[in-house]
């Protein structure tokens, strides 16, 4: 009897170890192999077909030598514009190495217009001067020298009918478990009013505030921050966000409400929890299409 129990225990332990090792190996593979995914949006505000690439949560991840695999994938898309949604590096425990994002953004800016917004890691580096010194202003200065347009809180007109805005969120919006609620006037106080005749894209790093974004007038909100939920399970979605929210419905994906859209990118890198299972890094391609194009396709 005892021998049988020991055998069952050893078998269980072996199966557990095999599962853990298999999961770690799968996670290592996924973290090194991104996928390119395309999303299409039609609107009467869109006057001509436009292609955008959205990068978020790079966290200094490298794909191939010097990120050449990522650059080559973007080259195949030939975007009109590239938008970076923040968290390009890892900023924690006094460390803030910006080498990888500067190298990547430098390559991209030579070939395509590139706009960079801040995520919570850039904001942490900016606000904690006693820890990170002048690394944030130095990083911003280097970006501008590379030809990158930086936007902390404000708007930039890409085309007469297309505007990109971004707001840098304070730390209270990133608190674990119970982040602050966004006041109705928060975005308009930062950006002014949205233009009803312009297709408004809003880069807001956290996806928790889609309602406020819609109320402000964002036609498309681009977010990241949640890393796809770390581990993604069929039907259940992402397991855990970096703010320790479990099975949050907007960990990743494309959502629509009242004719306005939210796209939550799974991101390209990781930091504290270096795990991705069922959740490969994501390069997002956006095809903005005039409304009449959709009508022609329907016929």
């Amino acid at each position: 009897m005892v021998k049988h129990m020991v055998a069952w225990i050893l078998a269980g332990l072996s199966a557990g170890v095999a599962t853990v090792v298999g999961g770690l190996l799968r996670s290592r593979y996924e973290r090194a192999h991104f996928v390119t995914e395309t999303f299409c949006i039609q609107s009467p505000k869109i006057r001509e077909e436009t292609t955008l690439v959205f990068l978020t949560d790079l966290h200094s991840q490298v794909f191939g030598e010097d990120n050449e695999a990522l650059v080559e994938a973007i080259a195949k898309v030939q975007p009109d514009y590239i938008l970076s949604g923040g968290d390009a590096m890892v900023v924690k425990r006094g460390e803030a190495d910006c080498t990888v994002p500067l190298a990547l953004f430098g390559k991209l800016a030579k070939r395509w217009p590139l706009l960079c917004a801040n995520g919570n890691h850039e904001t942490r580096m900016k606000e904690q001067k006693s820890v990170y010194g002048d690394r944030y202003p130095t990083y911003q200065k280097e970006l501008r020298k590379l030809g990158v347009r930086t936007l902390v809180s404000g708007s930039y007109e890409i085309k007469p009918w297309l505007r990109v805005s971004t707001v840098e969120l304070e730390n209270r919006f990133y608190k674990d478990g119970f982040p602050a609620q966004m006041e109705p006037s928060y975005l308009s106080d930062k950006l002014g009013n949205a233009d009803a005749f312009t297709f408004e894209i809003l880069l807001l790093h956290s996806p928790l505030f889609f309602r406020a974004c819609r109320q402000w007038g964002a036609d498309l909100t681009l977010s990241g921050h949640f890393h796809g939920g770390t581990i993604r399970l069929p039907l259940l979605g992402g397991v855990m966000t970096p703010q320790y929210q479990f099975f949050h419905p907007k960990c990743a994906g494309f959502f629509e409400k009242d004719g306005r859209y939210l796209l939550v990118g799974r991101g390209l890198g990781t930091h504290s929890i270096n795990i991705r299972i069922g959740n490969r890094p994501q390069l997002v391609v956006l095809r903005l299409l005039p409304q009449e194009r959709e009508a022609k396709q329907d016929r």
Side-chain angles (χ1 to χ4, degrees):
M1 183 69 176
V2 174
K3 289 183 178 180
H4 286 301
M5 289 182 63
V6 171
W8 277 106
I9 291 172
L10 291 175
L13 289 173
S14 298
V17 170
T19 299
V20 170
V21 171
L24 291 175
L25 290 174
R26 178 62 194 179
S27 175
R28 182 177 181 181
Y29 172 83
E30 289 196 19
R31 285 186 285 123
H33 295 83
F34 68 90
V35 294
T36 302
E37 298 183 3
T38 301
F39 302 85
C40 297
I41 297 175
Q42 293 87 22
S43 169
K45 296 180 181 181
I46 299 172
R47 300 180 190 173
E48 59 185 351
E49 184 171 338
T50 303
T51 300
L52 306 176
V53 161
F54 175 53
L55 309 172
T56 189
D57 298 279
L58 177 69
H59 288 302
S60 293
Q61 178 67 36
V62 177
F63 298 96
E65 186 175 353
D66 298 326
N67 261 320
E68 279 302 320
L70 194 57
V71 176
E72 288 175 9
I74 294 173
K76 291 179 181 178
V77 174
Q78 283 300 311
D80 297 293
Y81 221 98
I82 300 175
L83 305 175
S84 174
D87 281 9
M89 72 296 291
V90 178
V91 179
K92 65 176 184 179
R93 299 172 185 169
E95 297 296 326
D97 188 348
C98 302
T99 305
V100 170
L102 285 173
L104 173 62
F105 293 156
K107 291 180 180 181
L108 298 179
K110 287 180 181 179
R111 303 175 66 175
W112 305 283
L114 169 61
L115 184 149
C116 285
N118 283 355
N120 56 299
H121 281 246
E122 287 90 350
T123 301
R124 183 182 303 153
M125 181 168 55
K126 174 184 177 182
E127 293 183 347
Q128 297 181 15
K129 295 180 182 178
S130 61
V131 178
Y132 299 104
D134 63 352
R135 294 184 200 178
Y136 177 80
T138 299
Y139 173 66
Q140 291 288 304
K141 182 179 178 181
E142 290 300 315
L143 286 176
R144 291 190 288 271
K145 283 170 60 177
L146 292 169
V148 176
R149 179 172 293 277
T150 59
L151 198 59
V152 176
S153 288
S155 301
Y156 176 68
E157 186 180 276
I158 290 181
K159 296 185 178 184
W161 54 270
L162 177 60
R163 184 167 67 168
V164 175
S165 300
T166 180
V167 169
E168 183 180 46
L169 297 172
E170 294 94 347
N171 183 60
R172 61 192 176 102
F173 293 114
Y174 294 114
K175 287 185 177 179
D176 294 343
F178 301 97
Q181 296 296 307
M182 185 171 285
E183 305 85 353
S185 62
Y186 181 83
L187 294 175
S188 57
D189 288 345
K190 298 277 188 180
L191 299 171
N193 295 324
D195 186 341
F197 300 99
T198 298
F199 191 84
E200 297 275 12
I201 296 177
L202 177 60
L203 292 173
L204 198 72
H205 190 63
S206 173
L208 292 178
F209 311 106
F210 184 33
R211 181 178 180 181
C213 297
R214 299 196 312 270
Q215 292 174 339
W216 175 74
D219 296 288
L220 170 63
T221 301
L222 298 176
S223 299
H225 185 51
F226 282 174
H227 301 176
T230 307
I231 297 171
R232 295 189 65 79
L233 301 176
L235 302 179
L236 297 176
V239 173
M240 183 181 72
T241 76
Q243 292 176 216
Y244 303 104
Q245 296 152 309
F246 295 90
F247 298 103
H248 195 283
K250 290 185 173 61
C251 282
F254 193 46
F255 308 90
E256 184 272 336
K257 178 73 173 178
D258 302 326
R260 301 185 186 276
Y261 301 90
L262 167 68
L263 195 154
V264 185
R266 297 196 303 272
L268 289 160
T270 59
H271 55 95
S272 299
I273 304 174
N274 294 310
I275 297 173
R276 281 183 178 269
I277 297 177
N279 180 31
R280 287 174 66 177
Q282 181 189 42
L283 175 66
V284 174
V285 178
L286 291 161
R287 304 284 189 190
L288 306 184
L289 306 172
Q291 191 73 56
E292 56 268 26
R293 181 184 178 90
E294 180 185 31
K296 290 178 182 177
Q297 289 176 339
D298 289 344
R299 289 197 294 270

